[in-house]
Amino acid sequence: MIKIQIPATSANLGAGFDALGLALNFYNYVNIEESEGIFIESLDGTEIPTDASNLVYDSARTLYDICGKKLTGLKIQQVNNIPMARGLGSSSACIIAGLVGANQLMGEPLGMDDLVDLAAQMEGHPDNTAPALLGGIVTAVFDGRRVHWVKQEVFTTLKFVAAVPDFELKTDKARACLPDEISHKDAVYNLSRAALFSASLLTGKFENLRTAVHDRLHQPYRMELIPHGREVFDTFYSIGAYGAYLSGAGPTLMAVVDGENEYFCGKLRFALDKMGLQTWEVHELHIDNVGTRII
């Protein structure tokens, strides 16, 4: 049985809509092997599909079909630590697990670029799937068939603190609220800030991050779907965050924090509780530079 570790991801990073994403040290685990029939179970009690509609299975089956190999079935065991529909790449983790698992079972007929391309085709965009597979911070352009990507490893004391709400926000709903057209001025606004984010993160100019996370393409619209979202952003900054952004499609809100700010999570927990958000979770995370790996 092949055992796979897949990291959570945080996409968009403010202004880098559908283009920027990074991997975090918060993991799903999948065990997979060939079998006669479909046997799928959750090892942590998370409710998941146990038939052919399971995303891990469906992704693996797709790769078998592409490679022209008959699949009689799979035995899959899942540990789902990444919360579903919260903007932390849970669906991408399942897609990557299925593709990497199937590729291993068949003797690795596909290379890394092939897997990156196929995952983006299945997900529709590469900002979660690419960092989930590759690790680090990934800048990616998807032309509909191929992903043109650059991975950069990030060695920093920065931590990423996630405030995870107690409700789901499906990606299709989060996309439905976005405008069909934007102004030239807003496009320039986002392009400059997306470039600033990557450059500042990699060169240690963290004071730029508060400006770099500003966005006019998706965050102002999606924040309307997240009760208390703006209050939480204000709290992030009041207790010392460098920057704050909506992780993926949301509803998770992410703060970029100095590693020496050791009381940030405690202060955030206190503030959330005072707002009546006791059921929101707080996770202190760091960048994972490895990506998906066989363990």
Side-chain angles (χ1 to χ4, degrees), residues 27-96:
Y27 304 102
N28 277 4
Y29 298 90
V30 172
N31 304 328
I32 187 169
E33 66 181 355
E34 292 183 342
S35 67
E36 296 293 327
I38 301 173
F39 303 96
I40 302 172
E41 62 177 327
S42 170
L43 299 182
D44 66 332
T46 302
E47 192 170 322
I48 59 172
T50 56
D51 57 13
S53 68
N54 179 282
L55 191 52
V56 176
Y57 180 85
D58 183 60
S59 303
R61 179 181 58 188
T62 297
L63 189 52
Y64 270 77
D65 290 344
I66 289 171
C67 293
K69 184 172 180 180
K70 183 179 179 181
L71 178 64
T72 58
L74 291 170
K75 180 178 180 181
I76 297 171
Q77 299 173 324
Q78 295 180 231
V79 176
N80 301 279
N81 292 317
I82 305 169
M84 297 180 182
R86 297 296 203 283
L88 290 169
S90 61
S91 63
S92 291
C94 290
I95 290 171
I96 294 299

Side-chain angles (χ1 to χ4, degrees), residues 59 62-63 66 95 99 110 113-123 142 145 147:
S59 303
T62 297
L63 189 52
I66 289 171
I95 290 171
L99 293 178
L110 269 63
D113 281 326
D114 297 321
L115 292 174
V116 171
D117 292 343
L118 184 55
Q121 291 167 20
M122 297 178 70
E123 180 80 339
F142 182 42
R145 293 185 63 250
V147 178

